[in-house]
Amino acid sequence: MKNSLMFGLILGAVFSCQPPTESTESSQAQPKPLNFVIIFCDDLGYGDLSSFGNPVIQTPNLDHMALGGQKWTQFYVADPVCTPSRSALMTGRYPIRTGMTSKKRAVLFPDSGSGLSPDEITIAEVLKQKDYATAHIGKWHLGHLPQFLPTSQGFDSYYGIPYSNDMNAEQGYGKIYHEQRTTLDFYPDFEKYQVPLMENDQIVEQPADQNSITKRYTQRAVQYIKDNQDNPFFLYLAHSMPHIPLFASQEFRGTSKRSLYGDVIQEIDWSVGEILRTLRILDLDEHTIVMFSSDNGPWLSFETHGGSAGPLRAGKGTTFEGGQRVPTIFWGPSNVEPGLVNELGSTLDIINTFAALAETNVPNDRKMDGYDLSPVLKGDAASPRKDFFYWAFAELHAVRSGPWKLHVQQREPVHYGNIAEMEGPELYHLEADISEKYDVYDVQPEVVGKLESLMANHLEDVKGSTPDQLELRISK
Ligand code: MG
């Protein structure tokens, strides 16, 4: 308690002040603070859930969550690969501002000596101002060295594989896996990947037995909710799946018509069901908001071992819609007005949204890129987000404003494949043309001009807030 109070005082210096509380409120019973749960998948595509149109993968728990909550159809991650995307979720800042992106390396690797700067303020640190208990379970991928781990970034505890589950592969096994990408009955060997399973800052298992990883993350998450039922908590559950290599518990193997990939998604769906059920049993459902999403689009070059972007163009590693638009659901009986939200939102907005719902503040000493979506969750207002900038590999590729998307460049990402070439800038009306099929650049010069100036202004805006050692932070 003493530590968290001191922590709050230190953090208080960089947060704006709360508006004064009405004196009449102080005598009334305070409503119970909301709990927050983020369930984040790795490389889950826009078209991988039955509620988002998948015809063969069965996700009844997520369907139920979408039906009783809000299904967001135009929700974006700030970058189409893991590390930068996750940094934006945690901080509400484009990765170019935090140095969690690079032209040289897409993401952090086991030989990386860096990670998310401890000077950045995470969602967990924002909620600590209100004495929330905080836990991260699953994939972190913002630095595996002690000073960058969740336990150094506002989380009370950590349990999980700290980076991608395909790292530390035995020589040649990555290639073998890739060669098996169309083999429906291929099942990988977890011992070929020397990835660690960590508890706080200690390795407790290596190689991590990934066969049971989804199940074990889930058991931990359920136990955490039970242990914290009497106090406000923030649980960030980031599944290592369905990033390749794919693993599912024995009881889920062979359950899906969509081969191993479908089995993996159906186990994640089971996991969601366990969490929602636990919240209901403990009467926490009316005091908790659960968000479900993905860190980037499907890894299409792994073919049947990768996911589907549904109607969207391309996938992971690209700034086409398939790379950055992710299936997103918010759920919270009494706190989230059920419905379909066909408006813009982003993982960049979560820190502002949770801060508002927890009646606390985000940092005011740095540029933030998020909006408070809480009025949308409550059904009171349209989304305040009208623009979105598509960054990848420390380059600005595209901008969206309202329904329009101007795409000025694309980089062929190594190992991501299946990229449609761009011959020049392209303009799409995404509401009329979700698949980015009909380029109207030549016939909409006024729209192009408006979007070009948005990009120019944004580039000017980030200039002053980019770390000097941008390449160093994510590189070796
Ligand atoms: Mg990913």
Side-chain angles (χ1 to χ4, degrees):
M1 179 59 82
K2 192 179 170 192
N3 281 349
S4 68
L5 181 62
M6 280 182 61
F7 187 68
L9 289 173
I10 294 162
L11 280 177
V14 298
F15 293 93
S16 54
C17 296
Q18 280 278 51
T21 312
E22 294 283 333
S23 58
T24 50
E25 284 180 12
S26 57
S27 57
Q28 295 171 359
Q30 291 295 313
K32 196 172 172 180
L34 283 174
N35 306 306
F36 301 102
V37 179
I38 296 177
I39 304 172
F40 212 50
C41 294
D42 196 355
D43 297 3
L44 176 79
Y46 190 83
D48 284 330
L49 308 180
S50 38
S51 45
F52 279 76
N54 193 290
V56 284
I57 300 176
Q58 298 299 307
T59 52
N61 291 298
L62 281 156
D63 296 352
H64 177 85
M65 186 179 167
L67 215 57
Q70 286 185 359
K71 179 171 117 174
W72 285 62
T73 60
Q74 307 197 52
F75 200 89
Y76 291 91
V77 289
D79 196 284
V81 292
C82 300
T83 295
S85 170
R86 287 154 197 271
S87 71
L89 170 68
M90 281 296 110
T91 64
R93 282 150 56 80
Y94 281 110
I96 194 75
R97 297 196 199 275
T98 60
M100 287 283 90
T101 180
S102 164
K103 286 182 175 34
K104 292 178 186 166
R105 282 186 137 183
V107 297
L108 291 164
F109 283 85
D111 62 0
S112 297
S114 57
L116 181 69
S117 167
D119 294 339
E120 294 295 332
I121 305 291
T122 66
I123 299 175
E125 287 167 320
V126 160
L127 294 174
K128 272 289 171 202
Q129 296 174 110
K130 287 282 189 172
D131 284 333
Y132 273 66
T134 55
H136 178 33
I137 296 170
K139 176 175 174 177
W140 175 239
H141 215 180
L142 296 175
H144 63 284
L145 300 177
Q147 64 271 37
F148 305 116
L149 282 171
T151 42
S152 299
Q153 311 263 17
F155 290 94
D156 301 326
S157 63
Y158 175 55
Y159 176 82
I161 297 173
Y163 38 70
S164 297
N165 64 324
D166 64 337
M167 291 178 170
N168 289 337
E170 188 177 287
Q171 186 93 31
Y173 196 73
K175 188 164 175 280
I176 291 169
Y177 194 105
H178 195 256
E179 285 167 0
Q180 297 293 332
R181 65 194 184 278
T182 54
T183 309
L184 295 180
D185 60 357
F186 174 72
Y187 192 86
D189 178 355
F190 79 87
E191 292 188 334
K192 304 291 186 187
Y193 301 89
Q194 287 293 318
V195 290
L197 179 67
M198 300 188 77
E199 177 117 40
N200 299 323
D201 60 355
Q202 300 294 314
I203 293 174
V204 292
E205 188 178 304
Q206 192 167 21
D209 182 350
Q210 298 194 51
N211 291 301
S212 57
I213 201 70
T214 300
K215 186 196 283 182
R216 287 194 281 169
Y217 286 171
T218 305
Q219 289 165 342
R220 285 276 178 149
V222 165
Q223 192 58 49
Y224 181 78
I225 294 169
K226 288 179 179 169
D227 291 345
N228 287 277
Q229 58 184 290
D230 296 325
N231 53 264
F233 64 84
F234 167 46
L235 169 62
Y236 173 34
L237 168 58
H239 286 291
S240 293
M241 297 291 122
H243 192 290
I244 64 93
L246 300 172
F247 296 96
S249 302
Q250 195 66 50
E251 50 268 51
F252 286 91
R253 285 184 220 164
T255 59
S256 161
K257 291 182 176 175
R258 170 62 165 90
S259 72
L260 178 55
Y261 187 85
D263 299 345
V264 167
I265 303 305
Q266 293 186 179
E267 185 166 16
I268 288 172
D269 181 71
W270 161 81
S271 171
V272 169
E274 288 298 292
I275 287 167
L276 300 191
R277 192 166 65 90
T278 304
L279 292 170
R280 281 197 206 94
I281 289 171
L282 299 175
D283 282 333
L284 294 175
D285 51 337
E286 304 223 340
H287 305 286
T288 306
I289 288 185
V290 184
M291 172 198 178
F292 179 91
S293 194
S294 177
D295 71 332
N296 51 249
W299 203 346
L300 297 176
S301 52
F302 279 86
E303 302 192 7
T304 56
H305 283 250
S308 161
L312 307 180
R313 183 179 179 183
K316 174 178 178 173
T318 79
T319 42
F320 295 113
E321 292 298 289
Q324 290 191 244
R325 199 192 289 206
V326 286
T328 301
I329 302 168
F330 290 90
W331 178 90
S334 306
N335 294 295
V336 175
E337 180 67 25
L340 184 67
V341 180
N342 277 320
E343 298 190 52
L344 297 193
S346 170
T347 47
L348 288 163
D349 304 328
I350 301 308
I351 192 168
N352 289 58
T353 304
F354 286 4
L357 291 166
E359 299 182 356
T360 188
N361 303 102
V362 296
N364 66 356
D365 66 340
R366 63 199 71 197
K367 289 264 186 181
M368 300 292 289
D369 294 303
Y371 293 90
D372 170 14
L373 302 180
S374 65
V376 194
L377 297 184
K378 291 171 185 164
D380 293 339
S383 174
R385 177 172 284 284
K386 306 298 178 198
D387 302 329
F388 178 77
F389 296 95
Y390 300 70
W391 284 89
F393 307 99
E395 296 166 341
L396 181 58
H397 285 186
V399 61
R400 176 164 180 183
S401 180
W404 295 102
K405 177 179 182 179
L406 176 67
H407 207 160
V408 300
Q409 60 172 325
Q410 178 63 38
R411 179 165 147 171
E412 187 72 43
V414 181
H415 303 311
Y416 296 109
N418 299 335
I419 311 302
E421 298 261 330
M422 285 176 67
E423 289 172 4
E426 298 175 357
L427 180 74
Y428 296 97
H429 188 290
L430 288 177
E431 285 169 1
D433 177 18
I434 192 175
S435 304
E436 299 172 275
K437 276 186 179 168
Y438 310 110
D439 176 16
V440 289
Y441 182 90
D442 291 337
V443 294
Q444 294 284 352
E446 275 182 32
V447 176
V448 169
K450 181 176 164 260
L451 269 60
E452 280 175 344
S453 45
L454 274 179
M455 287 180 100
N457 292 342
H458 179 64
L459 283 172
E460 199 59 39
D461 180 56
V462 299
K463 238 186 214 171
S465 61
T466 298
D468 297 336
Q469 295 185 314
L470 185 63
E471 297 298 342
L472 290 178
R473 196 161 294 167
I474 206 167
S475 299
K476 210 168 172 177

